[in-house]
Amino acid sequence: MSDLPRYEYEKLADTITADIASGTLPVGAALPAERAMVDIHGVSIGTVRRAVRELVARGLVAKLPSKGTYVIATPDTAQPPKA
């Protein structure tokens, strides 16, 4: 792996991915609200939003307007969305 530093959003996305893989956040579970994740992880709202976009790109979560963000797949079954 590269020795380059990683962005905070990547670290947060990897942390949430690990929670999904371990079953802490099972398929169908809602992710905490963005403001709650700011407090939980000690990062900015922009970092949380970028991490969620990364998780959507990985095919792990789906955002439902006015409903929240939900786990839709595990890392081993994820299918990145088609462009």
Side-chain angles (χ1 to χ4, degrees):
M1 183 163 188
S2 173
D3 290 335
L4 294 173
R6 294 179 350 140
Y7 291 106
E8 287 300 313
Y9 80 90
E10 292 174 316
K11 293 176 189 176
L12 179 56
D14 288 347
T15 297
I16 296 169
T17 298
D19 287 345
I20 294 169
S22 72
T24 302
L25 286 170
V27 172
L31 266 58
E34 289 177 346
R35 294 281 178 197
M37 284 197 277
V38 166
D39 294 336
I40 293 166
H41 298 287
V43 296
S44 71
I45 191 77
T47 298
V48 169
R49 289 179 178 158
R50 184 100 185 254
V52 170
R53 282 196 307 264
E54 176 66 22
L55 293 168
V56 169
R58 293 179 186 182
L60 296 174
V61 301
K63 292 185 70 157
L64 301 175
S66 301
K67 299 289 184 186
T69 304
Y70 292 85
V71 178
I72 59 169
T74 60
D76 57 332
T77 63
Q79 298 288 326
K82 294 180 171 105

